[in-house]
Amino acid sequence: MFRTKRSGLVRRLWRSRAPVEGDGETDRGTHGSGGCCMGKTTKVAKSNAGSEAELKALTHSILKKIKEKQLEVLLQAVESKGGVRSPCLLLPSKVDAKVGQQSYSLPMLLYKVFRWPDLRHSSELKRLSCCESYGKINPELVCCNPHHMSRLCELESPPPPYSRYPMDYLKPPDSPDSGPSSSDTGGTTYSAPVGLSDSLALQESGDRAHWCVVAYWEEKTRVGRLYSVQEPSLDIFYDLPQGNGFCLGQLCSDNKSQLVQMVRAKIGYGIQLTREPDGVWVYNRSSYPIFIKSATLDNPDSRTLVVHKVFPGFSIKAFDYDKAGSLQRPNDHEFTQQPRTGFTVQISFVKGWGQCYTRQFISSCPCWLEVIFNTR
């Protein structure tokens, strides 16, 4: 029987759909417990999304109406899991599709089929800044590329205390070359003095265009130089098919720890760090959770800081400039002790730290980042 190129693309796309609970494979990007994503996603059985046959027939019917070049764009994005930069897939936003008793817009259906089977409402999504539809309200054509979207980490209810720290955790170091404070002594937690020293040097050399600098650490040792960020968006990754940014895989590390090497290999597509009008967002592009600690993620009246768990495919506003400004109170010990380079955010790949873990301090985590913001 003669088969067209279009039908071949449709079949390949259907085979690349996101796994649903009961398929024998679990999507790490949609399920899990704890952290800021806790309670925001729900495990979905096949029957809740309509029968497999109904969903397949509907998806095939919709895909066959899409142009071949657009199908190729969608297939490239889906098969590479967002690792390859794919253009926008602009389709009518007003087309609705019905699965079982539920009606979905065309973009929502494609997002459910190819990324998040448990997706319930568009309010759970955040469009990435690289997308043509970013910032547009109710356009006639909207981007339906599933990998131009992310799931939102909501912080309406407090996450469990993966880690809580006293508000004086950013005490300045005694010397520029001092290392992390020892997790064995129970002393003050670490504020990466070497990284801060280098970032001061950046400012003093006249480089005022950067909005942040990034330091990569393996346990208590910083690897490589600080990465100064001028562009609005930065990919930080270990292995990315079309990587352009801060490649951790190219850094020379002498760490022979098996745990460090294992975690390093799991960084994969890593994260995307983006400066947007409302703050700085972190998008987890990897296949494993990341853990984030930031002063602007917590209640301003709190005397402790919480480490937030972010699952694959989720985004979180890791730094809020307005909140940071309001936190600079004259009597607030943490912020009066801040170096003039501004505020920091700490991000650990794969492994968390704090009360629920054997690692009490981030300097015990195998692979982690410190993002130092230039608020001037």
Side-chain angles (χ1 to χ4, degrees):
M1 178 180 177
F2 177 74
R3 293 178 177 175
T4 63
K5 179 181 179 181
R6 181 190 300 273
S7 62
L9 292 171
V10 170
R11 288 196 307 275
R12 285 177 62 186
L13 278 165
W14 178 251
R15 288 196 298 267
S16 301
R17 68 192 183 281
V20 180
E21 186 75 12
D23 281 347
E25 181 181 355
T26 301
D27 184 358
R28 288 185 293 266
T30 58
H31 304 314
S33 60
C36 60
C37 305
M38 182 179 177
K40 302 303 177 185
T41 57
T42 306
K43 292 186 178 182
V44 176
K46 289 183 183 181
S47 58
N48 292 341
S51 68
E52 181 81 359
E54 181 184 5
L55 181 61
K56 180 177 180 180
L58 177 62
T59 305
H60 275 63
S61 173
I62 289 175
L63 293 178
K64 286 178 180 178
K65 297 176 183 178
I66 299 176
K67 297 177 181 179
E68 281 188 13
K69 288 187 177 180
Q70 292 178 313
L71 288 176
E72 290 173 349
V73 166
L74 180 59
L75 184 65
Q76 181 187 48
V78 170
E79 287 190 336
S80 71
K81 299 185 184 298
V84 174
R85 294 187 179 183
S86 52
C88 288
L89 178 63
L90 296 175
L91 297 172
S93 59
K94 305 300 182 183
V95 178
D96 289 334
K98 194 170 185 179
V99 181
Q101 301 300 316
Q102 297 288 329
S103 292
Y104 300 99
S105 66
L106 176 57
M108 278 288 290
L109 179 67
L110 295 182
Y111 302 153
K112 282 179 65 68
V113 170
F114 295 110
R115 286 208 74 179
W116 301 290
D118 64 335
L119 185 63
R120 293 166 294 184
H121 195 272
S122 60
S123 62
E124 300 172 26
L125 297 171
K126 180 188 182 299
R127 191 171 297 279
L128 301 178
S129 61
C130 63
C131 182
E132 288 182 26
S133 299
Y134 174 79
K136 295 182 179 178
I137 301 175
N138 298 323
E140 290 297 322
L141 296 178
V142 65
C143 177
C144 298
N145 187 328
H147 288 276
H148 285 191
M149 304 296 294
S150 64
R151 291 288 287 273
L152 270 172
C153 277
E154 298 291 348
L155 300 175
E156 295 166 357
S157 58
Y162 285 100
S163 174
R164 294 186 180 275
Y165 292 100
M167 294 293 276
D168 61 355
Y169 82 111
L170 280 176
K171 288 182 178 178
D174 293 333
S175 65
D177 296 324
S178 60
S181 58
S182 173
S183 59
D184 299 327
T185 64
T188 56
T189 53
Y190 170 52
S191 62
V194 178
L196 295 174
S197 175
D198 285 357
S199 60
L200 281 171
L202 281 173
Q203 284 195 341
E204 290 169 357
S205 67
D207 180 7
R208 298 184 181 274
H210 72 280
W211 58 271
C212 78
V213 290
V214 181
Y216 170 62
W217 296 81
E218 291 179 353
E219 297 174 327
K220 298 179 182 180
T221 304
R222 201 186 78 194
V223 180
R225 297 179 62 84
L226 282 178
Y227 192 99
S228 179
V229 185
Q230 287 87 29
E231 298 297 324
S233 183
L234 172 69
D235 290 325
I236 304 173
F237 57 93
Y238 187 82
D239 182 19
L240 191 62
Q242 291 184 355
N244 182 21
F246 189 8
C247 179
L248 305 180
Q250 293 182 348
L251 301 178
C252 296
S253 172
D254 297 327
N255 198 313
K256 305 300 181 183
S257 164
Q258 289 186 351
L259 180 59
V260 169
Q261 293 181 17
M262 179 192 72
V263 172
R264 194 189 299 146
K266 290 182 176 180
I267 294 173
Y269 294 177
I271 65 171
Q272 187 174 85
L273 189 69
T274 307
R275 185 182 186 183
E276 302 184 25
D278 62 340
V280 177
W281 287 80
V282 173
Y283 169 45
N284 184 4
R285 304 181 66 184
S286 75
S287 299
Y288 298 88
I290 60 174
F291 297 80
I292 296 182
K293 178 163 71 75
S294 169
T296 65
L297 281 173
D298 292 308
N299 188 323
D301 298 324
S302 173
R303 299 300 298 171
T304 60
L305 294 178
V306 178
V307 175
H308 299 267
K309 185 176 184 179
V310 182
F311 290 101
F314 279 74
S315 284
I316 188 171
K317 185 160 69 170
F319 190 75
D320 187 308
Y321 287 101
D322 290 337
K323 285 185 179 180
S326 66
L327 288 172
Q328 296 185 65
R329 299 182 292 269
N331 297 324
D332 192 318
H333 178 70
E334 176 186 3
F335 297 101
T336 57
Q337 294 296 328
Q338 281 275 11
R340 62 189 179 92
T341 46
F343 300 92
T344 65
V345 169
Q346 294 172 335
I347 304 171
S348 175
F349 294 103
V350 184
K351 300 296 183 180
W353 77 97
Q355 295 177 0
C356 296
Y357 298 90
T358 56
R359 295 164 295 276
Q360 294 300 300
F361 300 95
I362 193 169
S363 56
S364 300
C365 291
C367 303
W368 57 282
L369 301 169
E370 184 174 43
V371 185
I372 308 162
F373 294 101
N374 178 13
T375 57
R376 294 183 180 273

